[in-house]
Amino acid sequence: MQPETIATFQQLIQQPWLQQPLLVLLVAVVSSVLPLPASYQPLVLFRLLAVRLATRVNKASYPSAQLNLSGSLAAMIAVVPWLILAWAFTLLSQVPALWHGLLLYFCLDWQNSRQQALDIQRSLSKQQLNLARDQLQPLVLREVRLMSEVGVSKACLESLLFRLATQWTAVLLWFLLGGVVLAIACRLMQELHQQWNPKRQKYRYFGQPVAWLVSVLNWPGMLLCATVLALLVSWRHSRHYLKFSNDGYFNWSARWLLAAGAAALKRNLAGPVYYDGQKIRRVRIGPVNEPQPSDIQLLLKLARQYQVGLLLMLTSYIGLTILGHWPQ
């Protein structure tokens, strides 16, 4: 290869409009081939810190307005120091792109969710329902102790859909749009939302500010994931299920994602759930067919097709951009 060609290529990949997509492509592939084991995931420590912080400042005796304010301040205390550290190390790093890629790699733990889902499917296929319930519990907030095989399968499918759309797609989108700091902020806020979810009674007011912000951060990822799934399988059925899914519980992006997932799997999703002993009535989305354990494997296959499709689109963008800016 000519020295001039190498120099030109080096100049091109240092441009932000090309460097960000290249990092996303590389990290997404690496995280898929060499996933970080769950026991080494830094987010585990952050979850513990979030729970302890809430224990200190989320008091049942406080009025709702004060709990909203406490939740907002607690979120800032939990997230902002990590963002400052990420930004500071970027300034000190000799190779900022390598540092950003490492941080993005820590944010992507889709493969761990995928493995948990496969473990649940194996347990269900062996008629080990109690074990499947125990394996499901880390993925969901709802009560699982009375779930049937259908209930466990449905909850697992819903969790996978939302994690694919938020913890993988949304994080990558925000990295592309705003860099590593915005991607980290998105991922940490998602973890806070998981720990302080207002669906649970003790976080009803305390977790509302985080829930509102996370709904905004997750919206682009959920919209993209649902739209691509609908285009891959059945746009007509997805639109049909969306039309009859508005019961006031899910926001539009969540309903669109569940409708696309139901159309892709040909199974109904959502429906009533229990949180802290209280039954929450939710509309059923999709056909009358109930989910089966084998649908977990089908959804994981669709998720892989979706991920490969997006990465191929990103690869095409990178290739066309390089050709478009290559000197004549």
Side-chain angles (χ1 to χ4, degrees):
M1 185 177 293
Q2 297 292 333
E4 295 82 1
T5 303
I6 297 175
T8 301
F9 182 74
Q10 290 175 342
Q11 290 177 357
L12 280 175
I13 64 174
Q14 290 175 1
Q15 301 299 320
W17 42 263
L18 187 58
Q19 192 175 82
Q20 297 286 85
L22 279 171
L23 272 178
V24 165
L25 180 62
L26 178 62
V27 174
V29 172
V30 171
S31 65
S32 177
V33 177
L34 298 172
L36 186 68
S39 56
Y40 293 97
Q41 175 57 257
L43 291 171
V44 174
L45 175 61
F46 183 78
R47 292 167 195 152
L48 295 175
L49 293 174
V51 172
R52 292 185 180 181
L53 180 59
T55 302
R56 290 179 177 273
V57 297
N58 181 30
K59 304 297 182 181
S61 58
Y62 291 169
S64 59
Q66 186 173 350
L67 287 174
N68 284 161
L69 179 60
S70 298
S72 302
L73 295 176
M76 293 177 61
I77 293 171
V79 173
V80 170
W82 300 106
L83 301 183
I84 294 175
L85 281 175
W87 174 74
F89 275 100
T90 297
L91 296 179
L92 297 174
S93 176
Q94 296 293 326
V95 189
L98 180 61
W99 170 242
H100 291 174
L102 181 63
L103 291 177
L104 181 60
Y105 175 74
F106 288 147
C107 290
L108 298 179
D109 57 347
W110 162 255
Q111 291 298 110
N112 289 323
S113 299
R114 180 181 181 276
Q115 186 57 53
Q116 287 175 290
L118 288 174
D119 292 339
I120 293 169
Q121 183 189 21
R122 291 192 198 97
S123 298
L124 291 175
S125 64
K126 296 177 181 178
Q127 306 300 316
Q128 297 174 329
L129 182 56
N130 288 330
L131 177 58
R133 290 169 178 163
D134 292 338
Q135 293 168 332
L136 174 66
Q137 188 63 83
L139 294 176
V140 298
L141 295 173
R142 66 193 73 175
E143 293 182 8
V144 301
R145 56 189 176 87
L146 299 179
M147 279 186 178
S148 63
E149 179 180 284
V150 170
V152 172
S153 300
K154 180 180 291 189
C156 183
L157 292 172
E158 290 180 24
S159 176
L160 285 175
L161 268 176
F162 282 108
R163 287 171 184 265
L164 177 64
T166 60
Q167 297 180 4
W168 193 83
T169 307
V171 170
L172 293 182
L173 284 178
W174 286 117
F175 184 88
L176 284 171
L177 294 174
V180 70
V181 172
L182 203 53
I184 294 173
C186 176
R187 190 67 187 89
L188 293 183
M189 292 301 294
Q190 289 171 352
E191 286 299 325
L192 285 184
H193 180 54
Q194 182 74 8
Q195 302 304 320
W196 302 349
N197 199 304
K199 294 175 183 176
R200 302 174 65 184
Q201 188 62 31
K202 65 178 179 179
Y203 297 121
R204 180 181 178 185
Y205 300 108
F206 182 79
Q208 280 183 352
V210 171
W212 178 84
L213 181 57
V214 167
S215 67
V216 175
L217 292 172
N218 286 343
W219 188 85
M222 295 172 72
L223 176 62
L224 177 62
C225 185
T227 302
V228 173
L229 283 177
L231 290 172
L232 281 175
V233 184
S234 177
W235 179 268
R236 183 173 64 87
H237 285 99
S238 299
R239 288 293 304 275
H240 176 74
Y241 298 146
L242 175 65
K243 181 180 179 180
F244 296 99
S245 65
N246 188 11
D247 64 347
Y249 183 86
F250 294 109
N251 59 36
W252 186 89
S253 58
R255 289 190 291 116
W256 179 222
L257 179 62
L258 288 170
L265 297 169
K266 297 181 176 60
R267 297 287 188 268
N268 77 73
L269 299 175
V273 291
Y274 283 88
Y275 290 102
D276 295 334
Q278 295 185 349
K279 185 177 183 178
I280 308 297
R281 297 189 179 278
R282 309 182 307 174
V283 66
R284 296 180 187 273
I285 300 176
V288 296
N289 301 326
E290 296 288 359
Q292 302 297 324
S294 58
D295 295 323
I296 297 174
Q297 183 71 42
L298 175 59
L299 179 56
L300 290 175
K301 181 180 178 180
L302 289 171
R304 175 55 61 90
Q305 293 174 354
Y306 162 78
Q307 291 172 319
V308 170
L310 287 190
L311 294 181
L312 286 176
M313 291 173 59
L314 189 60
T315 303
S316 300
Y317 165 80
I318 293 171
L320 292 173
T321 302
I322 291 175
L323 287 176
H325 290 81
W326 199 265
Q328 299 297 325

